[in-house]
Amino acid sequence: MLINEVRETIAKYDKEDLKKIIAELYKKLPKDKKAQVDEYLKDIHNKPSKPKVSRLSFKEECQAYDNFISLVKAGLYASPNRIVTKKERYKWRSLVNHYFKVFVEEREDSLGRLIDLFKVLSEGSTTLMFSNWNTFVAIHTEQSVYYDIIIKRVLKTGYDKKNLEILVDLLNVERDEYTNLTIVLKNNMKTIDTKELLLDVLTSTYERDLALIKKSRDYRNYHYREIYNEKVDIATLIYLELCEEKKAKKYFMTHYYEESVYYKKRSYLEFLRRYKVEEEFKKEFENMKDKLDKESRDYIFFDYYKELTQDEDLTTN
């Protein structure tokens, strides 16, 4: 019955009948519910207090996380098995969201697990580690925002080479859609000194990155090339922010991973267009326009140049 129907039904009973009804209903209550009802019966004007929820200590949370994440890394949350039940596997979203909230709190001993969870969710965005690939949706936080949280936590102890190496190493994680993590890192470098230090750290990783590219095939090769060139892009952008235009171009042409010189120049033109480096784009475009294919994929360069200069002779029609 609805609550209004209950009220209408019991209205016909006298006081003694109501006492009997209440006593019989009380007998049918589960033991774990009787304590709440007892409080209400003793004073119907006060709301029953909520049952106390046991809260794990931080040490216990860490132990529970370590156990959970070991099962995730073993692939036991991705497919049916006899160790993690179907019901438990479906709880992965609430679990990762819970641990994110635990470790995002600014405790000195939480950073390691905050970074570890970031790596797991990043890997899970392209490899099936849970029931689907939308891992960052589970914590209601975009990958770039999560990375920015880590950056700020790490840099609280100083803008030094060791800390930047930790952050640059994280750039090699799998990416959620088209996320650019390197620019998030660059945007946290507010001074000339920190920008130059980031330049040095980025450049120092190229030899290792190139080795990964050469050893890998197919998707991994593509992934490593994308991350490597993303680093080169941002390092080049730092030179431009430092008003070192000649050094920027030389750096890009020296380090960008592209076998053909022509396509490397074209990639530099695309870099300038993408980051709206207008004056440098116009110079490079004027040097390259005779070699570009105006009628096909290079039309975007002609359109952008026209937008910057209002040159009617460069229409794509």
Short mmCIF file of all heavy atoms in Angstrom, two decimals, residues 92-128:
data_model
loop_
_atom_site.label_atom_id
_atom_site.label_comp_id
_atom_site.label_asym_id
_atom_site.label_seq_id
_atom_site.Cartn_x
_atom_site.Cartn_y
_atom_site.Cartn_z
N TRP A 92 34.03 -1.42 -10.28
CA TRP A 92 35.32 -0.77 -10.50
C TRP A 92 35.22 0.75 -10.56
O TRP A 92 36.13 1.46 -10.08
CB TRP A 92 35.99 -1.31 -11.77
CG TRP A 92 35.37 -0.86 -13.07
CD1 TRP A 92 34.40 -1.48 -13.77
CD2 TRP A 92 35.70 0.32 -13.81
NE1 TRP A 92 34.08 -0.78 -14.91
CE2 TRP A 92 34.88 0.34 -14.96
CE3 TRP A 92 36.61 1.37 -13.63
CZ2 TRP A 92 34.94 1.36 -15.92
CZ3 TRP A 92 36.67 2.38 -14.58
CH2 TRP A 92 35.85 2.37 -15.70
N ARG A 93 34.13 1.29 -11.11
CA ARG A 93 33.99 2.74 -11.21
C ARG A 93 33.96 3.39 -9.83
O ARG A 93 34.66 4.39 -9.58
CB ARG A 93 32.73 3.11 -11.99
CG ARG A 93 32.75 2.69 -13.46
CD ARG A 93 31.42 3.02 -14.12
NE ARG A 93 31.34 2.54 -15.48
CZ ARG A 93 31.04 1.28 -15.82
NH1 ARG A 93 30.79 0.39 -14.86
NH2 ARG A 93 31.00 0.92 -17.08
N SER A 94 33.12 2.85 -8.96
CA SER A 94 33.02 3.43 -7.62
C SER A 94 34.33 3.26 -6.85
O SER A 94 34.72 4.13 -6.06
CB SER A 94 31.86 2.79 -6.84
OG SER A 94 32.04 1.39 -6.70
N LEU A 95 35.04 2.16 -7.10
CA LEU A 95 36.31 1.93 -6.40
C LEU A 95 37.38 2.91 -6.85
O LEU A 95 38.06 3.52 -6.01
CB LEU A 95 36.79 0.48 -6.64
CG LEU A 95 36.03 -0.60 -5.87
CD1 LEU A 95 36.40 -1.98 -6.37
CD2 LEU A 95 36.29 -0.48 -4.38
N VAL A 96 37.56 3.08 -8.17
CA VAL A 96 38.60 4.01 -8.62
C VAL A 96 38.24 5.45 -8.23
O VAL A 96 39.12 6.26 -7.92
CB VAL A 96 38.87 3.89 -10.14
CG1 VAL A 96 39.40 2.53 -10.48
CG2 VAL A 96 37.63 4.23 -10.96
N ASN A 97 36.95 5.77 -8.25
CA ASN A 97 36.52 7.10 -7.84
C ASN A 97 36.81 7.33 -6.36
O ASN A 97 37.28 8.40 -5.96
CB ASN A 97 35.02 7.28 -8.11
CG ASN A 97 34.54 8.70 -7.88
OD1 ASN A 97 35.24 9.66 -8.21
ND2 ASN A 97 33.37 8.85 -7.33
N HIS A 98 36.57 6.30 -5.56
CA HIS A 98 36.85 6.38 -4.12
C HIS A 98 38.35 6.58 -3.87
O HIS A 98 38.75 7.48 -3.11
CB HIS A 98 36.38 5.11 -3.42
CG HIS A 98 36.87 4.99 -2.01
ND1 HIS A 98 36.36 5.75 -0.98
CD2 HIS A 98 37.85 4.21 -1.45
CE1 HIS A 98 36.98 5.45 0.15
NE2 HIS A 98 37.89 4.52 -0.12
N TYR A 99 39.19 5.77 -4.52
CA TYR A 99 40.63 5.88 -4.27
C TYR A 99 41.20 7.19 -4.82
O TYR A 99 42.13 7.75 -4.23
CB TYR A 99 41.35 4.67 -4.86
CG TYR A 99 41.08 3.41 -4.11
CD1 TYR A 99 40.52 2.28 -4.74
CD2 TYR A 99 41.33 3.33 -2.73
CE1 TYR A 99 40.24 1.12 -4.03
CE2 TYR A 99 41.05 2.17 -2.02
CZ TYR A 99 40.51 1.07 -2.68
OH TYR A 99 40.22 -0.06 -1.96
N PHE A 100 40.64 7.69 -5.91
CA PHE A 100 41.07 9.00 -6.42
C PHE A 100 40.82 10.07 -5.35
O PHE A 100 41.69 10.91 -5.08
CB PHE A 100 40.32 9.34 -7.71
CG PHE A 100 40.56 10.74 -8.20
CD1 PHE A 100 41.79 11.10 -8.74
CD2 PHE A 100 39.56 11.70 -8.12
CE1 PHE A 100 42.03 12.39 -9.18
CE2 PHE A 100 39.78 12.99 -8.57
CZ PHE A 100 41.02 13.34 -9.10
N LYS A 101 39.64 10.04 -4.73
CA LYS A 101 39.31 11.02 -3.70
C LYS A 101 40.21 10.87 -2.47
O LYS A 101 40.58 11.86 -1.83
CB LYS A 101 37.85 10.88 -3.29
CG LYS A 101 36.87 11.33 -4.36
CD LYS A 101 35.43 11.10 -3.95
CE LYS A 101 34.46 11.56 -5.03
NZ LYS A 101 33.05 11.27 -4.66
N VAL A 102 40.56 9.63 -2.15
CA VAL A 102 41.45 9.38 -1.00
C VAL A 102 42.84 9.94 -1.26
O VAL A 102 43.42 10.66 -0.42
CB VAL A 102 41.54 7.87 -0.69
CG1 VAL A 102 42.65 7.60 0.34
CG2 VAL A 102 40.20 7.36 -0.17
N PHE A 103 43.39 9.66 -2.45
CA PHE A 103 44.79 10.02 -2.72
C PHE A 103 44.97 11.44 -3.24
O PHE A 103 46.08 11.96 -3.21
CB PHE A 103 45.40 9.01 -3.70
CG PHE A 103 45.40 7.60 -3.18
CD1 PHE A 103 44.97 6.54 -3.98
CD2 PHE A 103 45.82 7.32 -1.89
CE1 PHE A 103 44.95 5.25 -3.50
CE2 PHE A 103 45.80 6.03 -1.40
CZ PHE A 103 45.37 4.98 -2.20
N VAL A 104 43.89 12.07 -3.69
CA VAL A 104 44.02 13.45 -4.16
C VAL A 104 44.17 14.41 -2.98
O VAL A 104 44.61 15.55 -3.16
CB VAL A 104 42.81 13.84 -5.04
CG1 VAL A 104 41.60 14.25 -4.20
CG2 VAL A 104 43.18 14.96 -6.01
N GLU A 105 43.81 13.94 -1.78
CA GLU A 105 44.05 14.75 -0.59
C GLU A 105 45.55 14.95 -0.42
O GLU A 105 46.34 14.03 -0.61
CB GLU A 105 43.48 14.06 0.65
CG GLU A 105 41.95 13.96 0.64
CD GLU A 105 41.42 13.27 1.88
OE1 GLU A 105 42.22 12.98 2.80
OE2 GLU A 105 40.21 13.01 1.93
N GLU A 106 45.93 16.15 -0.05
CA GLU A 106 47.35 16.50 -0.05
C GLU A 106 48.08 15.93 1.16
O GLU A 106 48.35 16.61 2.14
CB GLU A 106 47.51 18.01 -0.14
CG GLU A 106 47.00 18.56 -1.46
CD GLU A 106 47.52 19.94 -1.75
OE1 GLU A 106 48.46 20.39 -1.07
OE2 GLU A 106 46.99 20.57 -2.68
N ARG A 107 48.39 14.66 1.06
CA ARG A 107 49.22 13.98 2.05
C ARG A 107 50.53 13.60 1.37
O ARG A 107 50.54 13.18 0.22
CB ARG A 107 48.54 12.71 2.55
CG ARG A 107 47.23 12.93 3.26
CD ARG A 107 46.61 11.59 3.58
NE ARG A 107 47.52 10.75 4.36
CZ ARG A 107 47.29 10.37 5.62
NH1 ARG A 107 46.20 10.76 6.23
NH2 ARG A 107 48.15 9.61 6.26
N GLU A 108 51.60 13.74 2.08
CA GLU A 108 52.91 13.45 1.49
C GLU A 108 53.02 12.01 1.00
O GLU A 108 53.64 11.73 -0.03
CB GLU A 108 54.00 13.73 2.53
CG GLU A 108 55.42 13.55 1.97
CD GLU A 108 56.47 13.84 3.02
OE1 GLU A 108 56.13 14.36 4.09
OE2 GLU A 108 57.64 13.54 2.76
N ASP A 109 52.38 11.09 1.73
CA ASP A 109 52.50 9.67 1.39
C ASP A 109 51.42 9.18 0.44
O ASP A 109 51.27 7.99 0.22
CB ASP A 109 52.49 8.82 2.65
CG ASP A 109 51.38 9.20 3.62
OD1 ASP A 109 50.67 10.17 3.34
OD2 ASP A 109 51.23 8.52 4.66
N SER A 110 50.63 10.09 -0.15
CA SER A 110 49.58 9.68 -1.08
C SER A 110 49.97 9.88 -2.54
O SER A 110 49.32 9.36 -3.44
CB SER A 110 48.28 10.44 -0.80
OG SER A 110 48.43 11.82 -1.12
N LEU A 111 51.04 10.64 -2.79
CA LEU A 111 51.41 11.00 -4.16
C LEU A 111 51.73 9.79 -5.02
O LEU A 111 51.33 9.70 -6.18
CB LEU A 111 52.58 11.98 -4.15
CG LEU A 111 53.08 12.45 -5.53
CD1 LEU A 111 51.96 13.12 -6.31
CD2 LEU A 111 54.27 13.39 -5.37
N GLY A 112 52.48 8.84 -4.46
CA GLY A 112 52.88 7.66 -5.23
C GLY A 112 51.68 6.89 -5.77
O GLY A 112 51.66 6.49 -6.94
N ARG A 113 50.68 6.70 -4.94
CA ARG A 113 49.49 5.97 -5.38
C ARG A 113 48.61 6.83 -6.29
O ARG A 113 47.92 6.31 -7.16
CB ARG A 113 48.71 5.45 -4.17
CG ARG A 113 49.43 4.30 -3.47
CD ARG A 113 48.64 3.78 -2.28
NE ARG A 113 49.30 2.62 -1.68
CZ ARG A 113 50.29 2.70 -0.77
NH1 ARG A 113 50.72 3.90 -0.38
NH2 ARG A 113 50.84 1.60 -0.27
N LEU A 114 48.62 8.14 -6.08
CA LEU A 114 47.89 9.04 -6.98
C LEU A 114 48.46 8.92 -8.40
O LEU A 114 47.71 8.87 -9.38
CB LEU A 114 47.99 10.48 -6.49
CG LEU A 114 47.20 11.53 -7.30
CD1 LEU A 114 45.70 11.32 -7.14
CD2 LEU A 114 47.59 12.94 -6.85
N ILE A 115 49.78 8.85 -8.50
CA ILE A 115 50.45 8.69 -9.80
C ILE A 115 50.18 7.29 -10.36
O ILE A 115 49.91 7.14 -11.56
CB ILE A 115 51.97 8.94 -9.66
CG1 ILE A 115 52.23 10.43 -9.38
CG2 ILE A 115 52.71 8.49 -10.91
CD1 ILE A 115 53.68 10.76 -9.11
N ASP A 116 50.23 6.28 -9.51
CA ASP A 116 49.98 4.91 -9.95
C ASP A 116 48.58 4.76 -10.52
O ASP A 116 48.39 4.14 -11.58
CB ASP A 116 50.18 3.94 -8.79
CG ASP A 116 50.03 2.49 -9.22
OD1 ASP A 116 50.83 2.04 -10.07
OD2 ASP A 116 49.12 1.81 -8.72
N LEU A 117 47.59 5.34 -9.86
CA LEU A 117 46.21 5.27 -10.34
C LEU A 117 46.08 5.99 -11.68
O LEU A 117 45.37 5.53 -12.58
CB LEU A 117 45.25 5.87 -9.31
CG LEU A 117 43.76 5.83 -9.67
CD1 LEU A 117 43.29 4.40 -9.88
CD2 LEU A 117 42.93 6.51 -8.57
N PHE A 118 46.78 7.11 -11.83
CA PHE A 118 46.78 7.84 -13.10
C PHE A 118 47.30 6.96 -14.23
O PHE A 118 46.73 6.91 -15.33
CB PHE A 118 47.65 9.10 -12.98
CG PHE A 118 47.83 9.86 -14.25
CD1 PHE A 118 46.81 10.66 -14.76
CD2 PHE A 118 49.03 9.79 -14.95
CE1 PHE A 118 46.97 11.36 -15.94
CE2 PHE A 118 49.21 10.50 -16.14
CZ PHE A 118 48.17 11.29 -16.63
N LYS A 119 48.38 6.24 -13.97
CA LYS A 119 48.96 5.35 -14.98
C LYS A 119 47.99 4.23 -15.35
O LYS A 119 47.84 3.89 -16.53
CB LYS A 119 50.27 4.75 -14.47
CG LYS A 119 51.42 5.73 -14.35
CD LYS A 119 52.65 5.03 -13.80
CE LYS A 119 53.85 5.97 -13.70
NZ LYS A 119 55.03 5.28 -13.12
N VAL A 120 47.33 3.66 -14.35
CA VAL A 120 46.38 2.57 -14.60
C VAL A 120 45.20 3.05 -15.42
O VAL A 120 44.79 2.41 -16.40
CB VAL A 120 45.90 1.96 -13.27
CG1 VAL A 120 44.74 1.00 -13.51
CG2 VAL A 120 47.04 1.23 -12.57
N LEU A 121 44.63 4.21 -15.05
CA LEU A 121 43.49 4.74 -15.79
C LEU A 121 43.90 5.13 -17.21
O LEU A 121 43.11 4.98 -18.15
CB LEU A 121 42.90 5.95 -15.06
CG LEU A 121 42.27 5.66 -13.70
CD1 LEU A 121 41.73 6.95 -13.07
CD2 LEU A 121 41.16 4.62 -13.81
N SER A 122 45.12 5.62 -17.37
CA SER A 122 45.62 5.97 -18.71
C SER A 122 45.75 4.72 -19.57
O SER A 122 45.30 4.69 -20.71
CB SER A 122 46.97 6.68 -18.60
OG SER A 122 46.85 7.92 -17.91
N GLU A 123 46.35 3.68 -19.02
CA GLU A 123 46.48 2.43 -19.76
C GLU A 123 45.10 1.85 -20.08
O GLU A 123 44.87 1.32 -21.18
CB GLU A 123 47.31 1.42 -18.97
CG GLU A 123 47.57 0.13 -19.73
CD GLU A 123 48.46 -0.84 -18.98
OE1 GLU A 123 48.98 -0.46 -17.90
OE2 GLU A 123 48.64 -1.97 -19.47
N GLY A 124 44.18 1.99 -19.13
CA GLY A 124 42.84 1.46 -19.33
C GLY A 124 42.03 2.21 -20.37
O GLY A 124 40.97 1.74 -20.79
N SER A 125 42.51 3.38 -20.81
CA SER A 125 41.79 4.13 -21.84
C SER A 125 42.00 3.55 -23.23
O SER A 125 41.27 3.89 -24.17
CB SER A 125 42.20 5.61 -21.82
OG SER A 125 43.56 5.76 -22.22
N THR A 126 43.00 2.66 -23.38
CA THR A 126 43.24 2.02 -24.68
C THR A 126 43.34 0.50 -24.59
O THR A 126 43.20 -0.19 -25.59
CB THR A 126 44.55 2.54 -25.32
OG1 THR A 126 45.65 2.29 -24.44
CG2 THR A 126 44.47 4.04 -25.62
N THR A 127 43.61 -0.01 -23.39
CA THR A 127 43.68 -1.45 -23.16
C THR A 127 42.58 -1.84 -22.20
O THR A 127 42.37 -1.15 -21.20
CB THR A 127 45.05 -1.83 -22.55
OG1 THR A 127 46.09 -1.40 -23.42
CG2 THR A 127 45.15 -3.33 -22.35
N LEU A 128 41.89 -2.94 -22.47
CA LEU A 128 40.75 -3.32 -21.64
C LEU A 128 41.24 -3.84 -20.28
O LEU A 128 41.60 -4.99 -20.13
CB LEU A 128 39.90 -4.37 -22.34
CG LEU A 128 38.50 -4.57 -21.76
CD1 LEU A 128 37.69 -3.29 -21.88
CD2 LEU A 128 37.79 -5.72 -22.47
#
